[in-house]
Amino acid sequence: MKTCTAIALISFAVVAALVATSMATNSTWGTRGYYDRLIYRTQVVRKSELWRKISVDVDFPVKQAYNPYPITQVVAIDHKRKDGGYAVLTKGGPGYRNVTLHIKSERNHGLNYTVEIYGR
Ligand SMILES: *[C@@H]1O[C@H](CO)[C@@H](O)[C@H](O)[C@H]1NC(C)=O
Ligand SMILES: *[C@@H]1O[C@H](CO)[C@@H](O)[C@H](O)[C@H]1NC(C)=O
Ligand SMILES: *[C@@H]1O[C@H](CO)[C@@H](O)[C@H](O)[C@H]1NC(C)=O
């Protein structure tokens, strides 16, 4: 029983430490080959808002435009060194011709992301 409590406390401390340092990370989906080219790049910059998490959806292609290149890689670069957000792929991505990326900030923090989409 005691060891269980100790283990629980230690794992809690480890998780807390990980959350506290919340490093900004880049995310990539898929891989790109030598002949793939950058088909879209956009910068997502949002100011922080008190008590709020900021969410942004990045859609490609924009509006009804047609993208003839199958996507091979999607890259989300977080320019913040700490208190970065996170990005999730919600639609499409590698293997598709379109993609929707959902980017969310930490509470009380803004966003500074570059999204790059490569295709062939
Ligand atoms: C994210 O990518 C950028 C540009 O490639 C790089 O400068 C930065 O160090 C990367 N950050 C992390 C946490 O890997
Ligand atoms: C976002 O990151 C870019 C690249 O590091 C930097 O040049 C720019 O000043 C940053 N913008 C904000 C609003 O922090
Ligand atoms: C984008 O994805 C949706 C399904 O998620 C699909 O119906 C649509 O045809 C796609 N558009 C393009 C341009 O590939």
Side-chain angles (χ1 to χ4, degrees):
M1 193 62 197
K2 255 200 172 127
T3 37
C4 279
T5 315
I7 289 166
L9 280 176
I10 290 165
S11 21
F12 177 76
V14 169
V15 170
L18 285 177
V19 170
T21 49
S22 112
M23 278 282 299
T25 50
N26 298 331
S27 313
T28 41
W29 294 267
T31 49
R32 75 173 184 262
Y34 188 74
Y35 296 104
D36 297 359
R37 48 151 139 182
L38 180 67
I39 50 179
Y40 185 63
R41 173 188 278 149
T42 187
Q43 183 108 21
V44 176
V45 178
R46 292 289 187 282
K47 278 211 284 213
S48 62
E49 286 177 42
L50 198 60
W51 308 128
R52 285 206 53 208
K53 294 187 182 188
I54 297 157
S55 317
V56 176
D57 278 313
V58 176
D59 288 304
F60 174 82
V62 274
K63 305 234 172 72
Q64 297 303 309
Y66 179 70
N67 163 36
Y69 309 105
I71 294 167
T72 53
Q73 189 183 46
V74 178
V75 183
I77 298 159
D78 194 341
H79 292 297
K80 302 183 71 160
R81 245 173 258 150
K82 58 196 231 359
D83 302 316
Y86 66 89
V88 283
L89 205 61
T90 51
K91 251 194 263 169
Y96 295 88
R97 288 187 159 81
N98 60 15
V99 60
T100 300
L101 209 60
H102 186 73
I103 302 175
K104 206 163 185 176
S105 76
E106 289 275 324
R107 198 176 293 282
N108 296 332
H109 291 284
L111 291 172
N112 189 353
Y113 266 80
T114 298
V115 174
E116 292 178 341
I117 296 166
Y118 294 87
R120 182 160 23 204

